[in-house]
Amino acid sequence: MHELLQPFVRFFVSLRLTVVLLVFSILLVFLATLDQVHLGVWGIQHKWFFTFIVVQSVNGFPVPVFPGGYFIGGMLLINLVAAHVYRFKLTWKKSGIWLAHLGVILLIASQFLTGLLQRESQVQFNVGDSKRYSEDFLLDELAVIDATDPKFDDVVAIPESLLSRDEPIQHPKLPFRIVTRLYYPNSVVQMRSQAPNALPSPATMDIGLQLAVTPQPVTYKPDEHNMPAACVELIGQEGSLGIWLVSPWIEQSQTFDYAGRTWQLVMRSKRYYTPYGMTLLQVKNDVYPGTEIPKNFSSQVRIHDEAKGDRDVLIYMNNPLRYGGLTYYQYQMNKASGLSVLQVVRNPSWLVPYIACLLVAAGLVMQFGLHLTGFIRKRSAAAAK
Amino acid sequence: MRPVLWDFRLLNRGLRGWARLGMTNRMDAWPSGLNLDTCHLILGTSRLIGAVRNSDTWSVRVEIFAPGRDTCPLMRPRLLLICAAAALLASCRDERITTYRVPKEASSPAVPAQATAGTVAITWILPAGWTTKPDPSGMRKGSFLVSGMDGAKADVSVTAFPGDVGGDLANVNRWRGQVGLAPIDEAAFAQSVQTIDGPAGKFSFVELSGGTAAGGAQKPVRMLGAWLQQPDQRWFFKLMGDDSLVTTQRDAFLSFLKSVSFAATPVAPPVVAGREKAQSTNDLPKAPIAPFASGTMPDGNAIPAPGESAASQAALTWTAPGDWQAEPLSAMRIGSFAVSSDAGSADISISAFPGEAGGLLANINRWRGQLGLDPIAGGDLAGATIAFDGAGGLHFTVVDLSGHTGGAPARMLGAILSFEGQTYFFKMTGPDAIVAREKPAFFDFLKTVKAP
């Protein structure tokens, strides 16, 4: 049995494998960078890095073309751990190398965790605005809101990806099911009077009757945003309630009454609510004197936290706010209109890379120190003779 | 042949982002110009599966590959086996329906006719020539555009904030900064403020001029600003734009202030939000959200201001001939003119859409359809269009079409320009006599179109 395993062990502990994997990771970064032209910076992350195998569509068929980021990273991790188990002895002399390699293992693991757990969104507000949520950069959702309660909204948020499937959507909180009749991942919505030759749309309710939807090619450019559009039919117990057109182009929610309750439909950027609120008090854009070159952008915000009380903070470049497990970075600003955009990053494993780097540094210092003391001891012993 | 009618219907959408479309094309015969390329232009990568003729209808089944952002590599069946464990954790986490209860948000409709804010409803009468415009920030209670001759523009905004918003002096100094003026002290402030009586109360009013807009073109700007304290909120009214235009609009602005009135109404229940609000907002669909270039910030060099990118739709400038009358802009028109003579009047419109807006062929065929002309095939495009070089290396594709609209003979001059990721459409339509007369002027006009 042991002999059968030998080739595997030799393969996984070999330094040759390490070199090959490192070459593959360089190639991976290079090829993914080239592919950005087609998919944009968001698309390639999922296609090349957050995957085990990179799959390319050739004539409509998915063909695996390259090992993905998870695969290469995972193999490197196995290689490193296996080499330690089989090759290195845990001795005091080698402890520095052990510590440094532990740091590298931690670094790879943290990147894996980041890929799984990190979420980026934004808070966009004007001076005086208060927000209790951040909005996703890319994803949209259909919010079905029970607005009957005068104080609260009960929201059922349906991801856009579910609308794109041909399956009726049912939810215990909704007295009707939702069936997608039309879905475009990217679109332009115009007043019908402005687009006399537009396709007839299936919408039968509310503003949808006056609007024309034109599909657009899906965009991957980093400076463009897909604007989806969907026609959804709501079907209650007595039959169809009608077909509504929903799209982020239509900012206002569309209201109707059903089953004795008031409902609102709106398609908007996916929202992530926080248990605290935030008010933008002031925005500042300093420039270097006598020039238009920006020196600093800062936003003064007030956090309203029922549990911890109110607190004023200043967020500026390279000085993000860390609060409630989220990190708020100053992202964009329009001082003239008093608008500030904060990037919100949730990354529970954000500390791990710092710890990993400290471990690597400590390991190297330790290894060097051990060699140095050994060398000095040898030399002084030689001098004593 | 009758014009092409398209009817797309989504039938299915699979795991890999495939969608099958059923398309009916009411044509007497399968048109030579309608092929997969046409679908390609409109829908992205597509594949023809089959076509069936039922009496006078063609049913075409097309598979489109729309690699949407919902594409989730880990959901591919073959990969599921390899990475089932990771798939549980990984990117599919956003697929779930979530529910939550949140406090109601204060509604701030972009529509001025009756803006509700807490318990107060504000109403006003719009002066002639002011058009409602979209509000990218979403914070305005009213947002209007005033257009003058030679592309002069001014912006009207109505906002409301609780409290005194940092004090009147600080606020006026903020405004002064926006028109490129230095801050003033309390004494100078007291002198500069006038009072205007209106039915709504006493407005404080300032007029600021002499500077140039911060960071903008070196055109002189002028601002008229007014504010009014209400029990729960302070309301701000602002007209800002090109110096000459704002000067001529001063009386209109003052009469606008005097038309403002507040009426106490019960808190608007969400039910009334529905139709009217939605309708009026949709006159002006929201501009695509500002670019999200990740990594812009760490450089610290350039932080795109969302407001600016929204305005980039009107990045081109142009100068209309003297006898063209400027018309009010509307939802999709970024330029609008009319020219008339004894023979009738022609309408000139300028619009812009992101990306290819369907492509050259589809748009030219759309225009042909408007004049009751048959569509042309992609191969005939070169023969049917004129390439026209404008100023600064801008290339227009121009068509000159004669046909009928509503039974009357009509002619159309259309020019399509692709510029910085936008497609611009310049179009003149009207009776043949006047369009023929204005044709040289139209080409001269195209020559005045310039990149900033």
Side-chain angles (χ1 to χ4, degrees):
Chain A
M1 186 63 191
H2 193 69
E3 276 182 16
L4 267 177
L5 276 176
Q6 267 311 309
F8 285 99
V9 172
R10 265 207 300 279
F11 174 75
F12 277 110
V13 302
S14 77
L15 199 61
R16 223 174 276 168
L17 178 68
T18 319
V19 174
V20 168
L21 286 172
L22 287 177
V23 169
F24 266 107
S25 41
I26 292 169
L27 281 175
L28 180 78
V29 173
F30 179 69
L31 293 172
T33 310
L34 292 186
D35 203 24
Q36 261 192 54
V37 177
H38 307 111
L39 289 180
V41 71
W42 304 95
I44 59 128
Q45 286 186 17
H46 282 272
K47 183 178 167 187
W48 291 84
F49 297 110
F50 304 152
T51 179
F52 282 87
I53 293 177
V54 182
V55 178
Q56 181 82 38
S57 167
V58 178
N59 289 329
F61 290 99
V63 178
V65 288
F66 206 80
Y70 283 163
F71 182 81
I72 294 174
M75 286 292 278
L76 270 174
L77 193 62
I78 294 169
N79 180 237
L80 200 56
V81 173
H84 268 93
V85 171
Y86 277 86
R87 204 174 296 139
F88 293 106
K89 296 277 174 298
L90 184 55
T91 60
W92 175 244
K93 253 179 141 182
K94 291 265 161 83
S95 58
I97 293 181
W98 273 88
L99 208 56
H101 278 151
L102 186 68
V104 174
I105 290 171
L106 211 55
L107 202 61
I108 296 175
S110 81
Q111 186 50 45
F112 185 72
L113 285 177
T114 301
L116 289 183
L117 302 176
Q118 176 161 301
R119 186 176 73 202
E120 289 179 15
S121 54
Q122 61 167 346
V123 182
Q124 201 168 348
F125 45 15
N126 285 78
V127 174
D129 282 357
S130 291
K131 290 241 168 128
R132 294 188 79 90
Y133 57 85
S134 61
E135 291 169 307
D136 200 281
F137 281 107
L138 293 176
L139 300 173
D140 290 298
E141 67 186 10
L142 174 66
V144 185
I145 304 166
D146 179 352
T148 319
D149 191 305
K151 283 189 183 142
F152 292 98
D153 283 338
D154 283 307
V155 183
V156 175
I158 300 161
E160 185 204 335
S161 53
L162 289 186
L163 292 181
S164 67
R165 293 185 194 156
D166 193 29
E167 291 157 20
I169 297 163
Q170 290 195 320
H171 193 273
K173 286 206 169 174
L174 300 179
F176 40 75
R177 63 180 192 277
I178 299 171
V179 179
T180 310
R181 294 293 172 208
L182 175 142
Y183 168 77
Y184 296 134
N186 192 16
S187 68
V188 167
V189 173
Q190 292 165 272
M191 292 305 288
R192 199 156 271 286
S193 55
Q194 300 290 330
N197 276 38
L199 330 167
S201 103
T204 61
M205 302 301 287
D206 215 317
I207 188 72
L209 289 168
Q210 298 161 42
L211 294 174
V213 197
T214 317
Q216 295 285 314
V218 173
T219 177
Y220 295 105
K221 293 180 187 157
D223 56 344
E224 285 180 14
H225 186 76
N226 283 313
M227 298 288 275
C231 285
V232 290
E233 182 168 13
L234 306 189
I235 302 171
Q237 277 187 336
E238 307 82 27
S240 175
L241 312 180
I243 301 175
W244 278 262
L245 171 66
V246 289
S247 170
W249 290 100
I250 308 167
E251 276 182 87
Q252 286 287 339
S253 48
Q254 302 177 62
T255 307
F256 61 94
D257 287 312
Y258 179 70
R261 307 196 75 79
T262 302
W263 300 90
Q264 294 179 346
L265 273 181
V266 61
M267 194 185 241
R268 62 192 186 191
S269 289
K270 188 176 173 64
R271 289 184 179 180
Y272 306 105
Y273 277 87
T274 48
Y276 49 88
M278 222 181 231
T279 307
L280 181 62
L281 301 178
Q282 197 184 15
V283 292
K284 254 193 191 163
N285 172 11
D286 306 325
V287 291
Y288 286 101
T291 68
E292 291 286 300
I293 301 165
K295 182 181 172 191
N296 188 31
F297 298 89
S298 64
S299 300
Q300 197 186 351
V301 298
R302 179 168 296 161
I303 302 169
H304 311 279
D305 194 328
E306 284 79 13
K308 297 183 191 165
D310 286 8
R311 176 184 152 193
D312 280 10
V313 283
L314 188 67
I315 300 169
Y316 53 95
M317 286 162 71
N318 302 327
N319 190 57
L321 160 72
R322 297 188 193 276
Y323 196 86
L326 300 174
T327 311
Y328 293 82
Y329 297 89
Q330 181 66 56
Y331 182 56
Q332 292 178 330
M333 182 174 284
N334 186 348
K335 189 169 178 270
S337 63
L339 178 127
S340 180
V341 185
L342 304 177
Q343 186 187 28
V344 187
V345 177
R346 185 198 70 172
N347 183 7
S349 58
W350 69 277
L351 263 179
V352 184
Y354 293 94
I355 297 169
C357 288
L358 279 179
L359 280 180
V360 171
L364 290 177
V365 167
M366 200 165 163
Q367 194 65 23
F368 179 73
L370 283 172
H371 272 277
L372 189 69
T373 49
F375 174 73
I376 290 172
R377 203 176 296 142
K378 241 186 242 168
R379 206 172 62 162
S380 46
K385 277 181 191 171
Chain B
M1 270 197 287
R2 278 172 284 162
V4 182
L5 287 175
W6 296 80
D7 175 18
F8 289 104
R9 195 156 54 89
L10 185 77
L11 297 177
N12 192 11
R13 195 178 154 84
L15 277 176
R16 291 194 302 275
W18 286 87
R20 268 181 290 141
L21 293 173
M23 181 190 77
T24 49
N25 177 24
R26 294 182 202 96
M27 301 288 296
D28 299 325
W30 183 250
S32 58
L34 190 70
N35 52 28
L36 217 39
D37 291 340
T38 325
C39 305
H40 184 93
L41 281 170
I42 298 170
L43 294 166
T45 318
S46 57
R47 191 157 73 102
L48 189 66
I49 305 294
V52 182
R53 182 171 179 172
N54 320 308
S55 64
D56 63 340
T57 317
W58 283 90
S59 296
V60 182
R61 177 160 282 189
V62 181
E63 234 175 359
I64 65 162
F65 180 53
R69 51 191 119 120
D70 57 320
T71 308
C72 172
L74 293 172
M75 284 295 285
R76 291 179 186 136
R78 64 193 63 197
L79 287 182
L80 266 180
L81 296 169
I82 304 168
C83 55
L88 284 174
L89 288 164
S91 49
C92 306
R93 61 205 149 125
D94 289 314
E95 298 273 293
R96 288 193 310 274
I97 295 179
T98 50
T99 60
Y100 44 82
R101 165 171 276 215
V102 288
K104 270 199 199 308
E105 286 172 52
S107 59
S108 56
V111 185
Q114 194 175 61
T116 52
T119 57
V120 178
I122 180 171
T123 56
W124 53 62
I125 300 162
L126 272 195
W130 290 19
T131 50
T132 308
K133 74 170 196 177
D135 167 26
S137 66
M139 69 182 296
R140 293 183 172 188
K141 310 293 182 192
S143 177
F144 311 103
L145 178 75
V146 191
S147 302
M149 295 305 288
D150 300 327
K153 279 197 179 67
D155 171 70
V156 183
S157 71
V158 181
T159 50
F161 298 103
D164 70 348
V165 203
D168 294 339
L169 176 62
N171 191 49
V172 166
N173 277 335
R174 187 171 60 80
W175 282 353
R176 291 180 69 86
Q178 287 170 19
V179 293
L181 294 175
I184 51 172
D185 60 13
E186 193 71 53
F189 167 74
Q191 279 190 345
S192 68
V193 176
Q194 306 168 39
T195 308
I196 291 167
D197 282 322
K202 279 191 194 306
F203 290 88
S204 304
F205 174 77
V206 289
E207 189 162 2
L208 308 170
S209 69
T212 54
Q218 295 300 310
K219 268 193 198 163
V221 291
R222 179 177 287 264
M223 181 196 289
L224 307 179
W227 61 95
L228 175 70
Q229 184 63 46
Q230 283 292 301
D232 54 344
Q233 282 186 313
R234 182 164 296 204
W235 288 77
F236 296 91
F237 304 84
K238 198 170 88 172
L239 168 66
M240 178 177 168
D242 294 329
D243 184 48
S244 54
L245 178 63
V246 173
T247 309
T248 59
Q249 290 289 329
R250 191 175 190 273
D251 290 344
F253 183 71
L254 294 180
S255 67
F256 171 68
L257 289 182
K258 286 174 184 161
S259 75
V260 169
S261 70
F262 294 90
T265 56
V267 176
V271 196
V272 292
R275 194 122 183 167
E276 266 129 74
K277 268 197 216 163
Q279 263 181 18
S280 23
T281 313
N282 283 295
D283 291 344
L284 303 154
K286 149 174 123 171
I289 297 159
F292 306 115
S294 74
T296 313
M297 196 61 193
D299 299 335
N301 293 329
I303 296 180
E308 281 166 23
S309 26
S312 71
Q313 240 196 339
L316 294 176
T317 59
W318 47 75
T319 312
D323 56 342
W324 289 13
Q325 298 294 315
E327 296 283 307
L329 303 177
S330 61
M332 283 293 153
R333 287 191 175 202
I334 56 175
S336 184
F337 303 94
V339 58
S340 45
S341 74
D342 304 338
S345 69
D347 170 66
I348 299 106
S349 73
I350 303 162
S351 53
F353 294 96
E356 285 184 40
L360 199 59
L361 181 67
N363 279 298
I364 286 174
N365 278 338
R366 185 170 56 82
W367 283 349
R368 292 182 69 88
Q370 286 171 12
L371 292 186
L373 300 172
D374 298 331
I376 55 168
D380 301 333
L381 202 57
T385 59
I386 311 158
F388 179 75
D389 288 335
L394 298 176
H395 297 286
F396 297 88
T397 305
V398 184
V399 287
D400 185 349
L401 307 169
S402 290
H404 290 81
T405 52
R411 186 159 169 188
M412 177 195 296
L413 287 171
I416 299 175
L417 166 69
S418 187
F419 177 73
E420 289 194 347
Q422 299 253 338
T423 306
Y424 288 80
F425 298 93
F426 303 81
K427 195 171 85 167
M428 174 189 271
T429 40
D432 181 59
I434 183 156
V435 175
R437 195 193 74 183
E438 290 294 323
K439 190 172 176 179
F442 183 75
F443 280 97
D444 286 343
F445 169 68
L446 291 184
K447 279 187 196 158
T448 71
V449 176
K450 284 189 184 75

